[in-house]
Amino acid sequence: MARAASARSLLVTVWGDTIRACGGEIGAVALIRLMAPFGFSPRAVRAALSRMTRQGWLSRRRSGRRAFYALTPAGALRLEQGVRRVYRTEAEPWDGRWRLFAYVIPEQRRAARDRLRRELAWLGLGPLSRGTWVTTRDLAPVLRELTTARPLDGAVAVFDARNLGPADDRALVERCWDLDAIAARYRRFIRSVHPRAEVLRRRLRGGGLSDAKCFAEKIWLVHEYRKFLFVDPGLPDELLRGRRPDREAAALFRRMYAMLAPRADRFVVGVTNAARDTGRARRAAAARP
């Protein structure tokens, strides 16, 4: 697996996998300790937190000298969509309808248009034309939130429709997504992760893998796997043909995740408990006459 990522990008993964399951809010001190196994300095983590706060992903709360961070409603909505797709165990049922997202954004607002296209791709939509994107999933609430979170009023429209031809639904899929390229990426993931899983399994059995290392390996696994959110729309079975390397990759991901999770979770509990004890000690010291 690739091992290059910015602190901000890895924080998104840690939030979706770990912090979300621990109540959603975390102190800066605990988060810095969680990010230490990846080689990030406290300064780098604080800079990433500051940037994510400015971008509207996080909100900050102060308690004395300590800072605590949580997802904003907009950040939580987007992260929840990603979490559902990363950890899903089977394809969502399809009602046979297509959801269309159309926009008209002038060249003068190219930066906003490019950001919107990246968001749509991340949500699993595919480009039917330059200004019209489609999906098989009912994402109307998310698309409305995406629109209201940016100054796009009057520039976009969302539709619920059926495909009346002349091309059938499978032909429409092949027009909007490069299925061969997506399958090739899944096969590369399998070739990369499978031997790594065997190495880690042997090290776990031999006692040569620390809790911190298990946490780091689990987060790297999720970080690499969640990249498929940008390329795989999560299409229903009836729209796909042939062998499904995505299913093989998903099964491998779940096996490796389950292998690492117990020790990784123990590391997280240790970090959060230590941060809580440090906070108590500081408050007690401040209260002394």
Side-chain angles (χ1 to χ4, degrees), residues 6-71:
S6 67
R8 178 192 173 281
S9 179
L10 210 57
L11 270 173
V12 172
T13 303
V14 170
W15 223 286
D17 179 79
T18 303
I19 301 170
R20 173 179 165 275
C22 296
E25 184 181 69
I26 190 169
V29 172
L31 193 53
I32 286 169
R33 291 174 180 172
L34 283 181
M35 296 295 284
F38 307 101
F40 290 112
S41 66
R43 181 177 180 181
V45 176
R46 292 185 187 280
L49 287 170
S50 178
R51 183 182 179 191
M52 292 175 72
T53 302
R54 290 196 307 270
Q55 292 174 335
W57 272 84
L58 300 177
S59 61
R60 185 177 70 171
R61 174 179 68 85
R62 298 202 68 90
S63 177
R65 296 173 58 187
R66 304 178 70 198
F68 294 84
Y69 292 85
L71 289 170

Short mmCIF file of all heavy atoms in Angstrom, two decimals, residues 6-71:
data_model
loop_
_atom_site.label_atom_id
_atom_site.label_comp_id
_atom_site.label_asym_id
_atom_site.label_seq_id
_atom_site.Cartn_x
_atom_site.Cartn_y
_atom_site.Cartn_z
N SER A 6 -1.15 13.52 3.33
CA SER A 6 -1.07 14.73 4.13
C SER A 6 -1.73 14.48 5.48
O SER A 6 -2.54 13.55 5.64
CB SER A 6 -1.76 15.89 3.42
OG SER A 6 -3.16 15.64 3.35
N ALA A 7 -1.38 15.30 6.45
CA ALA A 7 -2.00 15.17 7.78
C ALA A 7 -3.51 15.37 7.69
O ALA A 7 -4.28 14.66 8.33
CB ALA A 7 -1.38 16.18 8.74
N ARG A 8 -3.94 16.32 6.86
CA ARG A 8 -5.37 16.58 6.72
C ARG A 8 -6.09 15.37 6.14
O ARG A 8 -7.14 14.96 6.64
CB ARG A 8 -5.61 17.80 5.83
CG ARG A 8 -7.07 18.11 5.60
CD ARG A 8 -7.26 19.12 4.48
NE ARG A 8 -8.67 19.30 4.16
CZ ARG A 8 -9.38 18.47 3.42
NH1 ARG A 8 -8.83 17.37 2.93
NH2 ARG A 8 -10.66 18.71 3.19
N SER A 9 -5.53 14.79 5.08
CA SER A 9 -6.17 13.64 4.44
C SER A 9 -6.26 12.46 5.39
O SER A 9 -7.29 11.78 5.47
CB SER A 9 -5.38 13.25 3.18
OG SER A 9 -5.96 12.13 2.55
N LEU A 10 -5.21 12.21 6.14
CA LEU A 10 -5.22 11.09 7.08
C LEU A 10 -6.15 11.37 8.26
O LEU A 10 -6.77 10.45 8.81
CB LEU A 10 -3.80 10.80 7.56
CG LEU A 10 -3.49 9.35 7.93
CD1 LEU A 10 -3.75 8.43 6.74
CD2 LEU A 10 -2.05 9.21 8.38
N LEU A 11 -6.27 12.63 8.64
CA LEU A 11 -7.20 12.99 9.71
C LEU A 11 -8.64 12.65 9.32
O LEU A 11 -9.42 12.20 10.16
CB LEU A 11 -7.09 14.48 10.04
CG LEU A 11 -6.09 14.88 11.12
CD1 LEU A 11 -5.99 16.39 11.21
CD2 LEU A 11 -6.48 14.29 12.47
N VAL A 12 -8.98 12.87 8.07
CA VAL A 12 -10.33 12.52 7.61
C VAL A 12 -10.57 11.03 7.80
O VAL A 12 -11.64 10.60 8.26
CB VAL A 12 -10.52 12.92 6.13
CG1 VAL A 12 -11.84 12.38 5.60
CG2 VAL A 12 -10.46 14.44 5.98
N THR A 13 -9.56 10.22 7.46
CA THR A 13 -9.69 8.77 7.63
C THR A 13 -9.82 8.40 9.10
O THR A 13 -10.67 7.58 9.48
CB THR A 13 -8.48 8.05 7.02
OG1 THR A 13 -8.36 8.41 5.64
CG2 THR A 13 -8.61 6.55 7.14
N VAL A 14 -8.98 8.99 9.95
CA VAL A 14 -9.02 8.70 11.39
C VAL A 14 -10.37 9.12 11.96
O VAL A 14 -10.95 8.41 12.79
CB VAL A 14 -7.87 9.41 12.11
CG1 VAL A 14 -8.03 9.32 13.62
CG2 VAL A 14 -6.53 8.80 11.69
N TRP A 15 -10.90 10.26 11.50
CA TRP A 15 -12.18 10.72 12.02
C TRP A 15 -13.30 9.75 11.65
O TRP A 15 -14.12 9.38 12.49
CB TRP A 15 -12.51 12.11 11.48
CG TRP A 15 -13.07 12.98 12.57
CD1 TRP A 15 -14.31 12.90 13.12
CD2 TRP A 15 -12.37 14.00 13.28
NE1 TRP A 15 -14.45 13.84 14.12
CE2 TRP A 15 -13.27 14.52 14.25
CE3 TRP A 15 -11.09 14.54 13.20
CZ2 TRP A 15 -12.93 15.56 15.11
CZ3 TRP A 15 -10.75 15.56 14.06
CH2 TRP A 15 -11.65 16.06 15.00
N GLY A 16 -13.32 9.34 10.40
CA GLY A 16 -14.38 8.45 9.97
C GLY A 16 -14.31 7.08 10.59
O GLY A 16 -15.34 6.47 10.91
N ASP A 17 -13.10 6.58 10.82
CA ASP A 17 -12.95 5.23 11.34
C ASP A 17 -12.95 5.16 12.86
O ASP A 17 -13.49 4.21 13.44
CB ASP A 17 -11.64 4.62 10.83
CG ASP A 17 -11.42 3.22 11.35
OD1 ASP A 17 -12.04 2.28 10.80
OD2 ASP A 17 -10.65 3.05 12.32
N THR A 18 -12.37 6.15 13.51
CA THR A 18 -12.10 6.05 14.94
C THR A 18 -12.85 7.07 15.79
O THR A 18 -13.58 6.72 16.72
CB THR A 18 -10.58 6.19 15.20
OG1 THR A 18 -9.89 5.19 14.45
CG2 THR A 18 -10.25 6.06 16.67
N ILE A 19 -12.68 8.35 15.48
CA ILE A 19 -13.24 9.39 16.33
C ILE A 19 -14.76 9.38 16.28
O ILE A 19 -15.44 9.59 17.29
CB ILE A 19 -12.67 10.76 15.93
CG1 ILE A 19 -11.14 10.74 16.07
CG2 ILE A 19 -13.27 11.87 16.79
CD1 ILE A 19 -10.45 11.93 15.49
N ARG A 20 -15.30 9.13 15.10
CA ARG A 20 -16.76 9.06 14.95
C ARG A 20 -17.36 8.02 15.89
O ARG A 20 -18.45 8.22 16.43
CB ARG A 20 -17.08 8.72 13.50
CG ARG A 20 -18.54 8.45 13.19
CD ARG A 20 -18.70 8.14 11.72
NE ARG A 20 -19.98 7.54 11.42
CZ ARG A 20 -20.23 6.24 11.51
NH1 ARG A 20 -19.27 5.41 11.90
NH2 ARG A 20 -21.43 5.76 11.24
N ALA A 21 -16.65 6.91 16.10
CA ALA A 21 -17.15 5.84 16.96
C ALA A 21 -16.88 6.10 18.44
O ALA A 21 -17.35 5.34 19.30
CB ALA A 21 -16.51 4.51 16.56
N CYS A 22 -16.13 7.16 18.75
CA CYS A 22 -15.77 7.47 20.15
C CYS A 22 -16.49 8.71 20.65
O CYS A 22 -15.97 9.42 21.52
CB CYS A 22 -14.26 7.66 20.27
SG CYS A 22 -13.28 6.19 19.91
N GLY A 23 -17.65 8.99 20.11
CA GLY A 23 -18.42 10.13 20.57
C GLY A 23 -18.37 11.33 19.65
O GLY A 23 -19.16 12.26 19.81
N GLY A 24 -17.44 11.36 18.72
CA GLY A 24 -17.41 12.42 17.72
C GLY A 24 -16.58 13.62 18.07
O GLY A 24 -16.25 14.43 17.19
N GLU A 25 -16.24 13.80 19.35
CA GLU A 25 -15.41 14.94 19.75
C GLU A 25 -14.12 14.43 20.37
O GLU A 25 -14.12 13.41 21.07
CB GLU A 25 -16.14 15.83 20.76
CG GLU A 25 -15.36 17.09 21.12
CD GLU A 25 -16.08 17.96 22.14
OE1 GLU A 25 -16.19 17.51 23.31
OE2 GLU A 25 -16.51 19.08 21.78
N ILE A 26 -13.02 15.14 20.13
CA ILE A 26 -11.74 14.70 20.66
C ILE A 26 -10.89 15.93 20.95
O ILE A 26 -10.97 16.95 20.27
CB ILE A 26 -11.02 13.77 19.67
CG1 ILE A 26 -9.78 13.12 20.32
CG2 ILE A 26 -10.65 14.50 18.39
CD1 ILE A 26 -9.18 12.00 19.50
N GLY A 27 -10.08 15.82 21.99
CA GLY A 27 -9.16 16.89 22.34
C GLY A 27 -7.94 16.90 21.43
O GLY A 27 -7.54 15.86 20.91
N ALA A 28 -7.35 18.06 21.26
CA ALA A 28 -6.18 18.18 20.40
C ALA A 28 -5.03 17.31 20.91
O ALA A 28 -4.30 16.70 20.11
CB ALA A 28 -5.75 19.64 20.30
N VAL A 29 -4.87 17.23 22.22
CA VAL A 29 -3.77 16.43 22.78
C VAL A 29 -3.92 14.96 22.41
O VAL A 29 -2.96 14.30 21.97
CB VAL A 29 -3.71 16.60 24.32
CG1 VAL A 29 -2.69 15.62 24.92
CG2 VAL A 29 -3.33 18.03 24.68
N ALA A 30 -5.13 14.42 22.58
CA ALA A 30 -5.36 13.01 22.23
C ALA A 30 -5.17 12.78 20.74
O ALA A 30 -4.61 11.76 20.32
CB ALA A 30 -6.76 12.59 22.67
N LEU A 31 -5.63 13.72 19.94
CA LEU A 31 -5.51 13.55 18.49
C LEU A 31 -4.05 13.58 18.05
O LEU A 31 -3.64 12.82 17.16
CB LEU A 31 -6.31 14.64 17.78
CG LEU A 31 -6.54 14.45 16.29
CD1 LEU A 31 -7.15 13.08 16.01
CD2 LEU A 31 -7.46 15.54 15.76
N ILE A 32 -3.27 14.43 18.66
CA ILE A 32 -1.83 14.47 18.35
C ILE A 32 -1.19 13.12 18.67
O ILE A 32 -0.35 12.62 17.92
CB ILE A 32 -1.16 15.61 19.14
CG1 ILE A 32 -1.55 16.96 18.50
CG2 ILE A 32 0.35 15.45 19.17
CD1 ILE A 32 -1.17 18.16 19.34
N ARG A 33 -1.59 12.51 19.78
CA ARG A 33 -1.04 11.20 20.14
C ARG A 33 -1.51 10.12 19.17
O ARG A 33 -0.75 9.19 18.85
CB ARG A 33 -1.44 10.85 21.57
CG ARG A 33 -0.77 11.72 22.62
CD ARG A 33 -1.30 11.45 24.02
NE ARG A 33 -0.65 12.29 25.02
CZ ARG A 33 -1.01 12.37 26.29
NH1 ARG A 33 -2.06 11.65 26.72
NH2 ARG A 33 -0.36 13.15 27.13
N LEU A 34 -2.74 10.22 18.69
CA LEU A 34 -3.23 9.24 17.71
C LEU A 34 -2.47 9.34 16.40
O LEU A 34 -2.27 8.34 15.70
CB LEU A 34 -4.73 9.46 17.45
CG LEU A 34 -5.72 8.96 18.50
CD1 LEU A 34 -7.14 9.24 18.03
CD2 LEU A 34 -5.54 7.47 18.78
N MET A 35 -2.05 10.55 16.05
CA MET A 35 -1.37 10.75 14.77
C MET A 35 0.12 10.49 14.86
O MET A 35 0.81 10.44 13.82
CB MET A 35 -1.62 12.18 14.29
CG MET A 35 -3.08 12.50 13.99
SD MET A 35 -3.74 11.56 12.60
CE MET A 35 -2.98 12.44 11.24
N ALA A 36 0.64 10.32 16.05
CA ALA A 36 2.09 10.10 16.21
C ALA A 36 2.61 8.86 15.48
O ALA A 36 3.69 8.89 14.89
CB ALA A 36 2.44 10.03 17.69
N PRO A 37 1.88 7.72 15.48
CA PRO A 37 2.40 6.54 14.76
C PRO A 37 2.59 6.75 13.26
O PRO A 37 3.28 5.95 12.61
CB PRO A 37 1.32 5.48 15.02
CG PRO A 37 0.67 5.89 16.29
CD PRO A 37 0.66 7.38 16.24
N PHE A 38 2.03 7.82 12.71
CA PHE A 38 2.19 8.10 11.28
C PHE A 38 3.33 9.06 11.01
O PHE A 38 3.59 9.40 9.85
CB PHE A 38 0.88 8.67 10.71
CG PHE A 38 -0.32 7.82 10.99
CD1 PHE A 38 -1.20 8.16 11.99
CD2 PHE A 38 -0.54 6.66 10.27
CE1 PHE A 38 -2.30 7.37 12.27
CE2 PHE A 38 -1.64 5.86 10.54
CZ PHE A 38 -2.52 6.22 11.54
N GLY A 39 4.00 9.51 12.08
CA GLY A 39 5.15 10.39 11.90
C GLY A 39 4.82 11.86 11.81
O GLY A 39 5.70 12.66 11.47
N PHE A 40 3.59 12.26 12.14
CA PHE A 40 3.23 13.68 12.07
C PHE A 40 3.57 14.37 13.39
O PHE A 40 3.26 13.87 14.46
CB PHE A 40 1.74 13.84 11.76
CG PHE A 40 1.36 13.44 10.37
CD1 PHE A 40 0.58 12.32 10.15
CD2 PHE A 40 1.80 14.17 9.28
CE1 PHE A 40 0.23 11.94 8.86
CE2 PHE A 40 1.46 13.79 7.99
CZ PHE A 40 0.69 12.67 7.77
N SER A 41 4.17 15.55 13.29
CA SER A 41 4.52 16.33 14.46
C SER A 41 3.27 17.01 15.03
O SER A 41 2.27 17.19 14.32
CB SER A 41 5.54 17.39 14.09
OG SER A 41 4.96 18.35 13.21
N PRO A 42 3.30 17.42 16.30
CA PRO A 42 2.16 18.18 16.85
C PRO A 42 1.86 19.41 16.02
O PRO A 42 0.69 19.76 15.83
CB PRO A 42 2.65 18.54 18.26
CG PRO A 42 3.60 17.43 18.63
CD PRO A 42 4.30 17.10 17.34
N ARG A 43 2.88 20.08 15.53
CA ARG A 43 2.66 21.27 14.72
C ARG A 43 1.88 20.94 13.45
O ARG A 43 0.97 21.68 13.06
CB ARG A 43 4.00 21.91 14.36
CG ARG A 43 3.89 23.18 13.55
CD ARG A 43 5.25 23.77 13.30
NE ARG A 43 5.17 25.00 12.51
CZ ARG A 43 6.21 25.72 12.13
NH1 ARG A 43 7.43 25.33 12.50
NH2 ARG A 43 6.05 26.81 11.42
N ALA A 44 2.24 19.83 12.80
CA ALA A 44 1.55 19.44 11.56
C ALA A 44 0.10 19.09 11.84
O ALA A 44 -0.79 19.44 11.04
CB ALA A 44 2.26 18.25 10.92
N VAL A 45 -0.17 18.43 12.94
CA VAL A 45 -1.55 18.07 13.28
C VAL A 45 -2.37 19.32 13.59
O VAL A 45 -3.52 19.46 13.13
CB VAL A 45 -1.58 17.10 14.47
CG1 VAL A 45 -3.01 16.79 14.89
CG2 VAL A 45 -0.85 15.80 14.13
N ARG A 46 -1.80 20.23 14.36
CA ARG A 46 -2.53 21.46 14.68
C ARG A 46 -2.81 22.29 13.43
O ARG A 46 -3.88 22.90 13.29
CB ARG A 46 -1.74 22.28 15.71
CG ARG A 46 -1.66 21.62 17.09
CD ARG A 46 -0.98 22.51 18.10
NE ARG A 46 -0.74 21.82 19.36
CZ ARG A 46 -1.64 21.64 20.31
NH1 ARG A 46 -2.88 22.10 20.13
NH2 ARG A 46 -1.33 21.00 21.42
N ALA A 47 -1.85 22.31 12.50
CA ALA A 47 -2.06 23.05 11.25
C ALA A 47 -3.19 22.42 10.44
O ALA A 47 -4.01 23.13 9.85
CB ALA A 47 -0.76 23.08 10.44
N ALA A 48 -3.23 21.09 10.42
CA ALA A 48 -4.30 20.40 9.68
C ALA A 48 -5.65 20.66 10.33
O ALA A 48 -6.66 20.88 9.64
CB ALA A 48 -4.01 18.90 9.64
N LEU A 49 -5.70 20.65 11.67
CA LEU A 49 -6.95 20.94 12.37
C LEU A 49 -7.43 22.37 12.08
O LEU A 49 -8.62 22.62 11.87
CB LEU A 49 -6.76 20.76 13.88
CG LEU A 49 -6.64 19.31 14.37
CD1 LEU A 49 -6.21 19.31 15.83
CD2 LEU A 49 -7.95 18.57 14.20
N SER A 50 -6.50 23.29 12.06
CA SER A 50 -6.84 24.68 11.76
C SER A 50 -7.41 24.82 10.36
O SER A 50 -8.42 25.51 10.13
CB SER A 50 -5.60 25.57 11.92
OG SER A 50 -5.89 26.92 11.59
N ARG A 51 -6.79 24.13 9.40
CA ARG A 51 -7.26 24.20 8.02
C ARG A 51 -8.65 23.58 7.88
O ARG A 51 -9.53 24.14 7.21
CB ARG A 51 -6.28 23.48 7.11
CG ARG A 51 -6.65 23.55 5.63
CD ARG A 51 -5.68 22.79 4.78
NE ARG A 51 -6.06 22.83 3.37
CZ ARG A 51 -5.52 22.08 2.43
NH1 ARG A 51 -4.55 21.24 2.73
NH2 ARG A 51 -5.93 22.18 1.18
N MET A 52 -8.87 22.42 8.52
CA MET A 52 -10.17 21.77 8.43
C MET A 52 -11.26 22.60 9.10
O MET A 52 -12.42 22.58 8.68
CB MET A 52 -10.10 20.38 9.06
CG MET A 52 -9.22 19.41 8.27
SD MET A 52 -9.00 17.81 9.10
CE MET A 52 -10.64 17.09 8.88
N THR A 53 -10.89 23.37 10.13
CA THR A 53 -11.85 24.26 10.77
C THR A 53 -12.21 25.40 9.84
O THR A 53 -13.40 25.76 9.69
CB THR A 53 -11.28 24.80 12.10
OG1 THR A 53 -10.96 23.68 12.96
CG2 THR A 53 -12.28 25.70 12.80
N ARG A 54 -11.22 25.98 9.18
CA ARG A 54 -11.49 27.08 8.24
C ARG A 54 -12.34 26.61 7.07
O ARG A 54 -13.16 27.36 6.54
CB ARG A 54 -10.16 27.66 7.71
CG ARG A 54 -9.35 28.42 8.73
CD ARG A 54 -8.28 29.26 8.05
NE ARG A 54 -7.44 28.47 7.16
CZ ARG A 54 -6.33 27.85 7.53
NH1 ARG A 54 -5.93 27.91 8.80
NH2 ARG A 54 -5.61 27.17 6.65
N GLN A 55 -12.15 25.37 6.65
CA GLN A 55 -12.89 24.83 5.51
C GLN A 55 -14.31 24.38 5.87
O GLN A 55 -15.05 23.97 4.99
CB GLN A 55 -12.11 23.65 4.91
CG GLN A 55 -10.81 24.05 4.24
CD GLN A 55 -10.00 22.85 3.78
OE1 GLN A 55 -10.14 21.75 4.33
NE2 GLN A 55 -9.17 23.05 2.78
N GLY A 56 -14.66 24.47 7.15
CA GLY A 56 -16.02 24.11 7.55
C GLY A 56 -16.22 22.65 7.89
O GLY A 56 -17.35 22.22 8.12
N TRP A 57 -15.15 21.88 7.94
CA TRP A 57 -15.25 20.47 8.31
C TRP A 57 -15.44 20.30 9.82
O TRP A 57 -16.22 19.46 10.27
CB TRP A 57 -13.98 19.72 7.90
CG TRP A 57 -13.98 19.17 6.52
CD1 TRP A 57 -13.65 19.83 5.38
CD2 TRP A 57 -14.30 17.84 6.12
NE1 TRP A 57 -13.76 19.00 4.30
CE2 TRP A 57 -14.15 17.78 4.73
CE3 TRP A 57 -14.71 16.71 6.81
CZ2 TRP A 57 -14.40 16.61 4.01
CZ3 TRP A 57 -14.96 15.54 6.10
CH2 TRP A 57 -14.80 15.50 4.71
N LEU A 58 -14.70 21.09 10.60
CA LEU A 58 -14.66 20.92 12.05
C LEU A 58 -15.08 22.20 12.76
O LEU A 58 -14.95 23.31 12.24
CB LEU A 58 -13.23 20.57 12.50
CG LEU A 58 -12.60 19.29 11.94
CD1 LEU A 58 -11.17 19.15 12.45
CD2 LEU A 58 -13.42 18.06 12.32
N SER A 59 -15.58 22.02 13.98
CA SER A 59 -15.81 23.12 14.89
C SER A 59 -14.88 22.93 16.09
O SER A 59 -14.52 21.81 16.43
CB SER A 59 -17.27 23.16 15.36
OG SER A 59 -17.60 21.96 16.05
N ARG A 60 -14.51 24.04 16.71
CA ARG A 60 -13.59 23.96 17.85
C ARG A 60 -14.25 24.51 19.10
O ARG A 60 -14.96 25.51 19.05
CB ARG A 60 -12.31 24.77 17.56
CG ARG A 60 -11.26 24.62 18.65
CD ARG A 60 -10.00 25.36 18.29
NE ARG A 60 -10.19 26.82 18.33
CZ ARG A 60 -9.19 27.70 18.23
NH1 ARG A 60 -7.95 27.27 18.04
NH2 ARG A 60 -9.45 28.99 18.29
N ARG A 61 -14.03 23.80 20.20
CA ARG A 61 -14.53 24.24 21.51
C ARG A 61 -13.35 24.31 22.47
O ARG A 61 -12.52 23.41 22.50
CB ARG A 61 -15.57 23.23 22.03
CG ARG A 61 -16.05 23.51 23.44
CD ARG A 61 -17.08 22.48 23.89
NE ARG A 61 -16.51 21.15 24.05
CZ ARG A 61 -15.90 20.73 25.17
NH1 ARG A 61 -15.75 21.54 26.21
NH2 ARG A 61 -15.43 19.49 25.23
N ARG A 62 -13.28 25.37 23.25
CA ARG A 62 -12.19 25.52 24.20
C ARG A 62 -12.70 25.30 25.63
O ARG A 62 -13.81 25.71 25.98
CB ARG A 62 -11.54 26.89 24.10
CG ARG A 62 -10.90 27.17 22.74
CD ARG A 62 -9.84 28.26 22.85
NE ARG A 62 -8.69 27.83 23.61
CZ ARG A 62 -7.61 27.23 23.08
NH1 ARG A 62 -7.56 26.99 21.77
NH2 ARG A 62 -6.60 26.88 23.83
N SER A 63 -11.87 24.62 26.41
CA SER A 63 -12.15 24.43 27.84
C SER A 63 -10.86 24.75 28.57
O SER A 63 -9.95 23.92 28.63
CB SER A 63 -12.60 22.99 28.12
OG SER A 63 -12.80 22.79 29.50
N GLY A 64 -10.77 25.96 29.10
CA GLY A 64 -9.51 26.40 29.69
C GLY A 64 -8.46 26.53 28.59
O GLY A 64 -8.66 27.20 27.59
N ARG A 65 -7.35 25.83 28.78
CA ARG A 65 -6.26 25.88 27.79
C ARG A 65 -6.38 24.76 26.77
O ARG A 65 -5.57 24.67 25.85
CB ARG A 65 -4.91 25.77 28.52
CG ARG A 65 -4.63 26.93 29.46
CD ARG A 65 -3.38 26.68 30.27
NE ARG A 65 -2.22 26.48 29.41
CZ ARG A 65 -1.01 26.11 29.87
NH1 ARG A 65 -0.86 25.89 31.18
NH2 ARG A 65 0.00 25.96 29.05
N ARG A 66 -7.38 23.92 26.92
CA ARG A 66 -7.52 22.76 26.04
C ARG A 66 -8.51 23.05 24.92
O ARG A 66 -9.50 23.74 25.12
CB ARG A 66 -7.95 21.53 26.84
CG ARG A 66 -7.02 21.18 28.00
CD ARG A 66 -7.54 19.98 28.75
NE ARG A 66 -7.41 18.77 27.96
CZ ARG A 66 -8.07 17.65 28.22
NH1 ARG A 66 -8.95 17.61 29.22
NH2 ARG A 66 -7.89 16.58 27.48
N ALA A 67 -8.21 22.48 23.75
CA ALA A 67 -9.09 22.64 22.58
C ALA A 67 -9.67 21.29 22.21
O ALA A 67 -8.96 20.27 22.21
CB ALA A 67 -8.31 23.22 21.41
N PHE A 68 -10.97 21.29 21.88
CA PHE A 68 -11.66 20.07 21.47
C PHE A 68 -12.28 20.31 20.10
O PHE A 68 -12.76 21.41 19.80
CB PHE A 68 -12.75 19.70 22.48
CG PHE A 68 -12.21 19.31 23.82
CD1 PHE A 68 -11.90 20.29 24.77
CD2 PHE A 68 -11.99 17.97 24.15
CE1 PHE A 68 -11.39 19.93 26.01
CE2 PHE A 68 -11.47 17.62 25.38
CZ PHE A 68 -11.17 18.59 26.31
N TYR A 69 -12.29 19.26 19.28
CA TYR A 69 -12.76 19.38 17.91
C TYR A 69 -13.86 18.35 17.64
O TYR A 69 -13.82 17.22 18.14
CB TYR A 69 -11.62 19.16 16.92
CG TYR A 69 -10.58 20.26 16.96
CD1 TYR A 69 -9.54 20.23 17.87
CD2 TYR A 69 -10.66 21.34 16.08
CE1 TYR A 69 -8.60 21.24 17.92
CE2 TYR A 69 -9.72 22.36 16.11
CZ TYR A 69 -8.69 22.30 17.04
OH TYR A 69 -7.75 23.30 17.07
N ALA A 70 -14.83 18.77 16.82
CA ALA A 70 -15.91 17.89 16.40
C ALA A 70 -16.30 18.26 14.97
O ALA A 70 -16.03 19.38 14.51
CB ALA A 70 -17.12 18.01 17.33
N LEU A 71 -16.95 17.35 14.28
CA LEU A 71 -17.41 17.63 12.94
C LEU A 71 -18.55 18.64 12.96
O LEU A 71 -19.40 18.61 13.86
CB LEU A 71 -17.91 16.34 12.26
CG LEU A 71 -16.85 15.31 11.87
CD1 LEU A 71 -17.54 14.02 11.46
CD2 LEU A 71 -15.95 15.81 10.75
#
